Amino acid sequence: MNLESLRDFCIALPGVTEELPFGPDTLVFKVKGKVFLLTPLDGSKTQFNAKCDPEKAEELRETYSDVKPGYHMNKKHWNTVYVTGSIPSETLFSWVKDSYDLVVASLPKKDREELHSATG
């Protein structure tokens, strides 16, 4: 995984927008206006913050040295993941999808149905 493949994966998800609300150095992905992933644009190494179920967040941190409590985020609900090659890309993409799904699940029913109808 690199920044380009991360971006491509995120924007392919239904209802996703990308923004730079914190300035030109942090790319933010939202679904229906709610953040599900942030990634810095200024570093040479790919990393991202993703929302995570609190129990799973702890488990991932204990299992993978490249998963840390969310940098500048609620550390109970967010992880910062450093992409070093030690974790397979498929696993990383599944965590991104989990983050997206958590945010979608918290949306009002109308918004969830709208996203569902957009995917067919």
Side-chain angles (χ1 to χ4, degrees):
M1 171 189 281
N2 58 29
L3 182 58
E4 185 176 334
S5 64
L6 175 61
R7 180 185 175 272
D8 290 347
F9 183 84
C10 289
I11 62 173
L13 296 168
V16 170
T17 59
E18 58 182 336
E19 303 175 17
L20 298 165
F22 306 117
D25 295 331
T26 304
L27 185 58
V28 177
F29 293 95
K30 297 180 178 182
V31 57
K32 294 291 186 178
K34 302 287 184 182
V35 175
F36 73 93
L37 190 129
L38 302 91
T39 186
L41 297 172
D42 58 354
S44 60
K45 297 178 182 174
T46 303
Q47 69 183 62
F48 60 88
N49 285 5
K51 194 163 188 146
C52 194
D53 171 79
E55 287 181 26
K56 184 174 181 181
E58 282 294 325
E59 177 185 319
L60 295 177
R61 293 173 200 162
E62 291 170 7
T63 305
Y64 300 98
S65 62
D66 288 331
V67 178
K68 306 290 183 196
Y71 182 69
H72 286 306
M73 305 296 284
N74 179 326
K75 299 189 182 348
K76 181 177 180 181
H77 295 278
W78 289 83
N79 279 335
T80 297
V81 180
Y82 297 91
V83 181
T84 64
S86 69
I87 304 169
S89 291
E90 298 77 26
T91 301
L92 298 174
F93 287 126
S94 75
W95 296 344
V96 172
K97 180 68 165 67
D98 287 348
S99 179
Y100 172 87
D101 290 342
L102 275 173
V103 171
V104 168
S106 73
L107 294 172
K109 183 178 180 182
K110 177 184 170 215
D111 288 339
R112 290 192 314 268
E113 289 173 349
E114 196 175 286
L115 287 170
H116 181 70
S117 67
T119 61

